[in-house]
Amino acid sequence: MYRDELENHLNQLLDIPRFQDYCPNGLQVEGRCEIHTVVSGVTASLDLLQAALEAKADAVLVHHGYFWRGEDMRITGIKKRRIALLMNHQINLFAYHLPLDAHSQFGNNAQLGKKLGFVENGRFGGQDIMMQGELKVSMSLAALGDQISQTLLRRPMIIGDPDKTIQRIAWCTGSAQNYFDAAILQNVDAYLTGEISEQNVHAARESGVAFIAAGHHATERYGVQALGNHIAQEFGIQHQFIDIENPV
Ligand SMILES: [Zn+2]
């Protein structure tokens, strides 16, 4: 398929004009016009790009691309090496940040909820990105931690009483620890996100709402995979997700 066709499809599907984001969404680096093979990954790191090159990808699809607000705008050092690899090999880079977190079907939050058995019954927070809902089967905080470990293949950091029963939960993938206060106001038993900050520990202890830090990378693997599988089915192109291990 043609690159322009793919870009239009993804931009419309993810409704990118709806979001105020910290980076441009859509085609970030232009490569060849025709796309047969797409590699997806969480972050457009050099390791992912090299793996995509080996896989003969025409396009790379990621959640974390380039050109973040406030960063050094020069194309030097790490950024030069990444962009040079893409341009030297005519590989397109597509990046979708907040629109991919939020999408009701292919989004990181929707996909993570599905994986962990959370049933969404509402949204909250800025731009309606965060989800809240209930566990299909309520369980203790300790049991939920075990289930998350087994599903995400990474042990979460948990602040809270292990014996507390968890029924209502709010969640947001990635680094959404700053939304913990908003989650506490939703009257949930636990809040799950990727990363944790020092002050979250105190807020968890004092509110009684458990905090689960399940990994920024680990919680954001699933949206881009679902989106890649969708375009493979829809357009008959090859798609492969490549997981570049990241402990954070
Ligand atoms: Zn992220």
Side-chain angles (χ1 to χ4, degrees):
M1 74 183 303
Y2 289 111
R3 177 191 61 234
D4 296 353
E5 219 183 316
L6 180 60
E7 188 189 10
N8 287 335
H9 176 81
L10 289 172
N11 289 357
Q12 276 179 26
L13 178 70
L14 297 175
D15 197 11
I16 63 171
R18 186 164 83 77
F19 295 89
Q20 285 195 308
D21 211 334
Y22 317 97
C23 65
N25 286 293
L27 182 65
Q28 289 193 335
V29 179
E30 187 177 312
R32 61 181 65 100
C33 298
E34 277 200 48
I35 294 174
H36 302 280
T37 301
V38 174
V39 159
S40 66
V42 178
T43 300
S45 63
L46 195 62
D47 283 345
L48 179 70
L49 300 183
Q50 277 161 347
L53 178 62
E54 269 175 46
K56 300 196 175 5
D58 304 302
V60 172
L61 173 66
V62 294
H63 181 50
H64 302 136
Y66 307 147
F67 315 119
W68 298 92
R69 190 196 295 159
E71 77 177 16
D72 188 336
M73 287 188 281
R74 294 173 298 171
I75 300 178
T76 56
I78 290 171
K79 201 196 274 177
K80 179 256 174 182
R81 290 191 287 277
R82 292 170 168 184
I83 292 174
L85 187 150
L86 288 167
M87 297 195 81
N88 289 340
H89 298 280
Q90 294 273 303
I91 301 172
N92 295 282
L93 177 67
F94 291 96
Y96 293 94
H97 185 236
L98 295 183
L100 186 60
D101 286 321
H103 192 268
S104 57
Q105 189 181 353
F106 304 114
N108 280 321
N109 286 334
Q111 289 290 324
L112 184 72
K114 210 166 127 185
K115 278 246 165 237
L116 295 176
F118 304 162
V119 181
E120 184 205 341
N121 60 21
R123 304 266 187 131
F124 69 101
Q127 306 186 66
D128 271 353
I129 286 171
M130 271 143 294
M131 288 187 173
Q132 58 182 310
E134 311 233 337
L135 268 64
K136 269 188 200 140
V137 183
S138 59
M139 61 183 86
S140 70
L141 182 59
L144 180 60
D146 289 343
Q147 189 201 300
I148 292 166
S149 295
Q150 283 159 21
T151 308
L152 304 188
L153 307 174
R154 178 190 180 281
R155 186 88 217 153
M157 179 180 283
I158 299 180
I159 311 299
D161 174 4
D163 297 325
K164 181 186 176 175
T165 300
I166 308 298
Q167 174 64 41
R168 288 187 37 76
I169 189 155
W171 69 98
C172 189
T173 64
S175 60
Q177 64 267 55
N178 290 343
Y179 294 95
F180 186 35
D181 291 346
I184 290 169
L185 295 176
Q186 304 304 307
N187 249 324
V188 292
D189 303 313
Y191 178 61
L192 182 154
T193 184
E195 297 187 39
I196 184 165
S197 296
E198 191 270 352
Q199 66 266 29
N200 300 137
V201 175
H202 305 291
R205 287 176 184 158
E206 291 171 35
S207 66
V209 177
F211 192 106
I212 304 169
H216 188 139
H217 175 88
T219 56
E220 294 198 324
R221 284 187 197 118
Y222 305 104
V224 82
Q225 286 187 66
L227 190 62
N229 290 338
H230 158 75
I231 57 175
Q233 274 185 354
E234 183 95 5
F235 301 109
I237 55 181
Q238 298 293 317
H239 163 247
Q240 180 190 357
F241 172 75
I242 297 182
D243 197 25
I244 304 295
E245 198 275 327
N246 186 328
V248 173

